[in-house]
Amino acid sequence: MLKDKIGMVLGVANKRSIAWACAEKCIEQGARLAFTYQGERLERNLTKLTADMDDTLVIPCDVTNQEEVDTAFETVATKYRKLDFLIHSIAFAPREALEGSYLDTSREAFLTALEISAYSLPQVARAAAPLMKDGGSIVTMSYYGAEKVVENYNVMGVAKAALESSTRYLASDLGPTGIRVNAISAGPINTLSARGVKNMSGFLKHVEERSPLRRNVEVTEVGNTALFLVSGLSSGITGETIYVDCGFNIMGI
Ligand code: 1JT
């Protein structure tokens, strides 16, 4: 399904990452992928994970460093000459901002969370668009806390709201050039980011008890949806946030 397609995947930290689940599905379908990382520790993980992959790139791309972002896209342009899709799966907020009340969010934590988790989408879309000569697809990751109050999610919820809104504005800007932009709103998953989140196991249990499917979502299910969104199967969909959450978000009381 993705034979001769080139993709770029931002946000693989380890083999449990949502980004990695998306990458595996794309590779299975014949795509060639460039991976980006932030920081040396994550470079080692990625180099190991991609060791037996053909024709791949592993490059640094810290979104707070514009030069590094420019270089990353130049490297992709030089190697592959084009880009068909991009999977954006990065977010960050200082630990102390993900507990207590949103009311206490510092200016610094707010700016950091929104810079890395939300601004990075238009930032990389701007760099990717000129390489997407035959059209393309950009996919980002959101969470329910963008829309409804989720205890402790705090400033990340505000950042994800900005991200989902950015998805719509970018879809409008890039639609005329054949580039689609969509978000996946995944249910809670036990990844590196979720580790250390206060009462994560309580959250997972809550979803298991209340979601229509009576279970938590698996990372492979998010990967399958990302595959759908980067493939031609979703050619009529742009600007959407698609929930992959076992139906949790539809429930009222
Ligand atoms: C970040 C972190 C972004 C954890 C994230 C995230 N998006 C989803 N999660 C998991 C999560 C986190 C909380 C939560 C429910 C799910 C941590 C590092 C910064 C970026 O609240 C109940 C807090």
Side-chain angles (χ1 to χ4, degrees):
M1 191 151 58
L2 297 180
K3 197 175 168 301
D4 301 322
K5 300 288 185 194
I6 307 292
M8 205 166 158
V9 179
L10 290 72
V12 176
N14 59 33
K15 68 176 196 301
R16 296 161 73 117
S17 294
I18 294 174
W20 183 247
C22 298
E24 282 193 302
K25 295 290 179 180
C26 296
I27 296 270
E28 234 173 72
Q29 294 300 318
R32 280 177 292 164
L33 298 180
F35 294 89
T36 73
Y37 60 88
Q38 182 270 320
E40 267 173 42
R41 194 172 52 82
L42 298 178
E43 177 180 20
R44 251 171 288 139
N45 284 355
L46 254 183
T47 309
K48 275 187 219 149
L49 282 172
T50 57
D52 55 359
M53 258 177 210
D54 290 334
D55 215 9
T56 186
L57 265 181
V58 174
I59 43 184
C61 184
D62 177 340
V63 295
T64 64
N65 180 343
Q66 186 58 46
E67 270 178 38
E68 207 170 281
V69 175
D70 293 341
T71 306
F73 281 86
E74 281 162 22
T75 309
V76 168
T78 306
K79 182 170 169 80
Y80 304 109
R81 300 276 150 206
K82 66 151 185 175
L83 190 63
D84 298 295
F85 63 89
L86 181 147
I87 297 173
H88 171 279
S89 186
I90 56 185
F92 178 75
R95 171 66 59 88
E96 69 275 10
L98 294 180
E99 52 187 51
S101 61
Y102 175 66
L103 184 64
D104 296 326
T105 307
S106 69
R107 180 187 302 265
E108 197 192 346
F110 185 98
L111 292 174
T112 300
L114 271 95
E115 181 185 16
I116 298 177
S117 314
Y119 182 71
S120 61
L121 184 68
Q123 182 185 22
V124 299
R126 190 159 56 242
L131 299 176
M132 294 180 161
K133 293 165 201 138
D134 315 319
S137 174
I138 298 174
V139 177
T140 187
M141 299 299 154
S142 192
Y143 178 62
Y144 185 59
E147 203 181 302
K148 292 286 196 291
V149 173
V150 173
E151 205 182 333
N152 294 326
Y153 202 60
N154 297 351
V155 72
M156 271 312 303
V158 175
K160 292 300 191 186
L163 184 74
E164 290 184 10
S165 186
S166 286
T167 299
R168 292 185 284 273
Y169 279 93
L170 290 170
S172 171
D173 284 348
L174 296 172
T177 56
I179 300 172
R180 299 182 293 108
V181 188
N182 292 289
I184 293 174
S185 186
I189 299 175
N190 236 332
T191 64
L192 185 65
S193 281
R195 204 80 44 80
V197 164
K198 243 185 173 172
N199 197 25
M200 190 66 188
S201 56
F203 261 93
L204 293 168
K205 187 160 167 279
H206 182 84
V207 172
E208 206 175 295
E209 285 167 358
R210 308 284 178 90
S211 67
L213 297 182
R214 295 291 189 274
R215 63 175 177 85
N216 278 286
V217 73
E218 285 178 26
V219 74
T220 52
E221 297 176 305
V222 178
N224 278 331
T225 307
L227 171 61
F228 165 69
L229 286 173
V230 303
S231 80
L233 288 176
S234 60
S235 55
I237 302 177
T238 195
E240 261 338 294
T241 297
I242 300 186
Y243 275 93
V244 183
D245 68 342
C246 298
F248 183 81
N249 79 95
I250 68 164
M251 300 303 288
I253 299 169

